[in-house]
Amino acid sequence: EPIVMKGKQTQQSLSSLTVVGDYVCFATDNGSSTSGVLTCVNLQNGAVLWSKPSDDAGYYWAGAAKVGATRIAVGDCAGKLTVRDAANDGAEVSSLSLGSAIKTTVVADGDDLFAVTVDGTLHKVHVASDGSLSEVRSVKFSDYSTCTPTISNGKLYVGGSQSGKGVLAIVDLKDFSV
C-alpha cells in the first residue's frame, strides 16, 4: 500500500531514493520550492522511521547521498546542504550553506560530496568523521544547472545551460579544471 504524506500542503515526490540499511529516504516539495518533507521509511514493513518537514525550503529534484554507514546528505532549495542521521531519528548532524538552491541529487565519492547549485556551480564538500562539512573548492561551469553529476575515471560530468544553449561540462577532479 502506498505511503501518503500528510502535511500542511500538498507534496510532490520529485527526488531520487536513497537506501540506508533497511530504510529508504526520500524528499518531497510543495511544487514552489518553499516547503518540503524529508522522510525515511522501513523497507520491510512500510513504517515511517522519521519525517522532517521544512517550512523554509523544499527539496525539488533533491536526492540524498549516503554518507558512511548511517548518514545521508541532502540539499534544499534554500542552498543548504545537510547531513542527517538516517538510521535513528533523522537528527541534523551538520549543515553548510552553498549560497544558491540545490535542485539535484548530491553525489558522494569517499568522504567527499559533490553538489550542484542552480547558479551553475559545482561544489566539492568534505565530510569529516563527525559528520561536519567544509567546502573544499568550487567551480562555475554554466549559468544554470539542475543536473545531477556523475563521476567516472577521475572526471565529473554535469549538464547545464549557458546563454540559452545546452552545456556538457567535464570537470577534472584533480585540479577542478573544466
Side-chain angles (χ1 to χ4, degrees):
E1 184 173 322
I3 295 169
V4 178
M5 301 309 296
K6 298 174 184 160
K8 296 178 198 174
Q9 299 177 342
T10 301
Q11 294 289 313
Q12 302 176 55
S13 183
L14 301 170
S15 72
S16 54
L17 308 174
T18 303
V19 173
V20 179
D22 292 333
Y23 297 90
V24 62
C25 300
F26 61 94
T28 64
D29 187 89
N30 69 347
S32 63
S33 303
T34 57
S35 76
V37 180
L38 190 59
T39 303
C40 195
V41 175
N42 186 304
L43 288 169
Q44 304 305 312
N45 61 23
V48 175
L49 176 63
W50 54 263
S51 187
K52 300 291 181 185
S54 168
D55 293 329
D56 300 328
Y59 301 98
Y60 206 96
W61 298 325
K66 188 175 173 189
V67 179
T70 64
R71 295 177 179 153
I72 59 168
V74 65
D76 67 22
C77 292
K80 183 173 147 182
L81 180 63
T82 303
V83 173
R84 291 191 176 275
D85 181 354
N88 294 305
D89 60 0
E92 183 175 308
V93 176
S94 65
S95 67
L96 178 68
S97 175
L98 296 182
S100 184
I102 304 164
K103 292 187 175 184
T104 70
T105 297
V106 176
V107 173
D109 185 28
D111 293 333
D112 294 319
L113 300 172
F114 294 92
V116 173
T117 50
V118 297
D119 64 355
T121 302
L122 171 68
H123 302 265
K124 180 179 181 179
V125 177
H126 182 72
V127 183
S129 60
D130 66 356
S132 60
L133 299 171
S134 58
E135 186 161 12
V136 176
R137 59 191 326 170
S138 64
V139 64
K140 186 146 176 82
F141 63 90
S142 70
D143 289 336
Y144 181 83
S145 181
T146 57
C147 181
T148 296
T150 192
I151 298 171
S152 179
N153 296 321
K155 306 245 189 290
L156 182 140
Y157 300 85
V158 63
S161 67
Q162 184 81 26
S163 302
K165 296 182 180 178
V167 169
L168 172 60
I170 302 169
V171 180
D172 188 317
L173 294 179
K174 290 179 192 160
D175 61 10
F176 249 50
S177 61
V178 178

